Amino acid sequence: MERTTVERVARAAHFALSEEEFEKYSKDLAEIFDYFKILDEAPEGEGYGVNPLEVGDVLRDDVPGIFIDPYELLKDMKTYENYVRGPRLL
């Protein structure tokens, strides 16, 4: 792994690396990228993406409506201009 790449990664992660840490992380990053190269060589699956089962829309359509009269709910509460008043927050 090139030193400039390791420096860029260290700068992005806000790390200050010593010379021996540059050597170590350079080797480690090179190994990690080699593993990704192995994954690039894997054959592609045909017909399936990430999920082998088709995922469809299972949610119902929302139908707006009022099921309970708001004035009926507020009639037994202490209100101020149809707002429920609670305790003061400090």
Side-chain angles (χ1 to χ4, degrees):
M1 174 81 32
E2 297 176 9
R3 182 178 177 90
T4 56
T5 305
V6 177
E7 287 174 349
R8 224 174 347 166
V9 171
R11 195 173 327 120
H14 301 284
F15 287 145
L17 299 177
S18 67
E19 192 60 39
E20 49 192 45
E21 287 173 328
F22 270 112
E23 299 287 328
K24 178 183 181 289
Y25 291 127
S26 170
K27 181 183 172 215
D28 291 345
L29 285 172
E31 288 178 11
I32 290 170
F33 285 129
D34 286 341
Y35 288 125
F36 280 109
K37 288 178 188 174
I38 292 171
L39 289 175
D40 287 338
E41 296 171 4
E44 293 183 20
E46 294 182 24
Y48 293 112
V50 175
N51 192 352
L53 302 175
E54 183 179 342
V55 177
D57 187 13
V58 295
L59 301 176
R60 64 173 169 76
D61 291 332
D62 285 336
V63 179
I66 298 175
F67 301 106
I68 300 174
D69 182 22
Y71 296 107
E72 184 68 27
L73 291 173
L74 295 173
K75 74 177 186 180
D76 296 327
M77 296 183 194
K78 291 184 181 179
T79 60
Y80 173 76
E81 295 180 1
N82 287 331
Y83 290 98
V84 177
R85 297 185 81 176
R88 276 192 161 174
L89 300 177
L90 300 177

